[in-house]
Amino acid sequence: MRTVTSPEQTISEAEIEHAVREGIRRYFDDCRARVPTFIDRHFHYPGAITTNRRALGWDMLRAPINLLWAPIYALACLTKILLPRRTGLIWLHSLADRVPAGFTTRVQHHISQLILVELLNNGQESPLIERYLVEALEAVYDRHNCESIDHQKFSELVHPLIADTLSQYRVTRTAAADITNSIGCTVLGAFAFQKFTPGGIGLGVVLASMVAKTLAARDFILGETIGGWYYSVFPPEPSLATTASVMVAVMAALAAFAALSGVIFDPVQAAIGLHRRRLHKLLDHLQQDVTLSTQNSFRPKDQFVARILDTFDMVRSGFL
């Protein structure tokens, strides 16, 4: 990080850089120390209920839109990661940069604010990292009897990084809900229908087949009972309209569940350490970016895991 310059030549650049790095290290060490308390307060019961009850309302509509939009955003992120930033591909990177992550739900916004205020700023109104940096640099300047420093440049550097990092963290909420849906569909299919249904599409196909069998048996010429026996041996092929209708109903139900699933799965993720690892990863990448003055490097893999599960679901269901 070389954005600070000395007002007098008596202070070496090495001294300033060491002070900045030390201030950054102390700040993020203190942030990591607050992670366990933060998780206990907001992701374990009863805090998980308070955190996720904000999903009631418009989030019930935002959540399904985010789930449908997630594959497009994941593709844009993958494009930026895999394709080199060459002259001929700058337009593609620019296009991928303009792809939004989706609607910010009330739950996502609430958690982002909690991370910003409680975890990163420890309840302070002003950015806490500036205080650590200013204290470290003032110690150096005091030793050389120099004037006080202007720390506005730190705000210009750090604030965009924090905003982008929190945006990426919000994406993990959508991805976690999608993964939860896939797991829920698999469990439901196994126990309720004795079928392998790795996602909403697979579950919709199974339910559509059951609906088609029920409708065909009801209209069977020899009666519904015999029709049920007959179509158990020779199952009817569901019509496109039946399949589409059932699949839309399943997706709507899953989207509603996704909006509220945090009440159940936030404590589970907290218990097995997923929230702790995710927050530590966020802090590690943010520390690296602030220290090296690089662009945001926090790119959680949750959304790519969710897309792999979706692809497998489509392949298993015969859509790919």
Side-chain angles (χ1 to χ4, degrees):
M1 181 173 183
R2 301 179 182 275
T3 57
V4 180
T5 58
S6 171
E8 297 186 6
Q9 296 299 322
T10 54
I11 303 179
S12 68
E13 184 177 348
E15 285 182 282
I16 294 176
E17 187 168 341
H18 175 75
V20 169
R21 289 179 180 271
E22 183 64 20
I24 292 172
R25 183 193 63 78
R26 287 179 49 247
Y27 167 74
F28 282 101
D29 284 348
D30 288 349
C31 288
R32 292 185 185 93
R34 291 191 287 270
V35 167
T37 302
F38 181 86
I39 293 175
D40 288 341
R41 184 181 299 129
H42 301 295
F43 294 132
H44 283 294
Y45 292 121
I49 297 175
T50 304
T51 298
N52 288 279
R53 70 183 177 187
R54 288 169 173 77
L56 296 173
W58 286 109
D59 277 10
M60 304 293 287
L61 296 179
R62 295 187 186 103
I65 295 175
N66 285 344
L67 289 178
L68 292 174
W69 183 254
I72 299 175
Y73 181 71
L75 181 61
C77 291
L78 197 61
T79 299
K80 291 188 290 185
I81 292 173
L82 296 181
L83 293 182
R85 189 180 287 273
R86 295 200 301 263
T87 303
L89 298 174
I90 290 180
W91 66 272
L92 189 57
H93 278 271
S94 299
L95 181 62
D97 284 334
R98 288 197 292 268
V99 175
F103 289 107
T104 299
T105 65
R106 292 181 62 204
V107 174
Q108 290 173 336
H109 178 73
H110 177 64
I111 294 176
S112 296
Q113 286 300 112
L114 290 175
I115 293 174
L116 179 62
V117 174
E118 296 187 15
L119 192 61
L120 297 181
N121 291 334
N122 196 24
Q124 304 293 321
E125 294 184 3
S126 58
L128 189 60
I129 188 172
E130 289 185 11
R131 195 184 76 186
Y132 281 77
L133 292 173
V134 169
E135 287 177 356
L137 285 168
E138 283 182 344
V140 175
Y141 278 55
D142 287 343
R143 288 200 301 268
H144 293 272
N145 297 318
C146 294
E147 299 177 359
S148 60
I149 62 172
D150 176 16
H151 58 83
Q152 182 63 31
K153 58 193 67 180
F154 294 120
S155 299
E156 298 172 358
L157 169 69
V158 173
H159 290 181
L161 289 174
I162 292 177
D164 197 9
T165 299
L166 292 179
S167 175
Q168 288 297 318
Y169 187 85
R170 288 194 291 268
V171 172
T172 67
R173 298 290 301 184
T174 300
D178 209 353
I179 294 171
T180 297
N181 281 343
S182 296
I183 295 174
C185 289
T186 302
V187 173
L188 180 61
F191 285 94
F193 311 118
Q194 289 75 52
K195 300 285 187 180
F196 179 53
T197 55
I201 296 176
L203 184 61
V205 169
V206 170
L207 290 176
S209 298
M210 295 178 63
V211 170
K213 176 183 173 182
T214 300
L215 294 176
R218 188 186 61 186
D219 297 334
F220 194 66
I221 192 171
L222 298 179
E224 186 173 350
T225 302
I226 297 178
W229 295 340
Y230 175 81
Y231 288 118
S232 294
V233 180
F234 305 102
E237 189 72 21
S239 66
L240 181 60
T242 300
T243 302
S245 300
V246 172
M247 201 162 293
V248 168
V250 169
M251 291 300 181
L254 290 176
F257 174 71
L260 299 170
S261 61
V263 174
I264 301 172
F265 290 100
D266 271 340
V268 173
Q269 293 181 66
I272 63 179
L274 281 180
H275 280 306
R276 177 182 56 80
R277 286 193 290 272
R278 193 175 293 142
L279 289 172
H280 274 284
K281 187 176 181 180
L282 180 151
L283 293 172
D284 290 343
H285 281 273
L286 189 55
Q287 179 177 356
Q288 172 186 315
D289 295 333
V290 173
T291 302
L292 302 179
S293 300
T294 56
Q295 293 182 345
N296 176 32
S297 62
F298 181 58
R299 291 290 184 270
K301 303 302 186 294
D302 307 55
Q303 59 175 325
F304 300 116
V305 174
R307 301 292 72 79
I308 291 172
L309 292 176
D310 288 344
T311 302
F312 180 68
D313 183 25
M314 296 179 70
V315 172
R316 179 71 175 75
S317 304
F319 282 77
L320 288 179

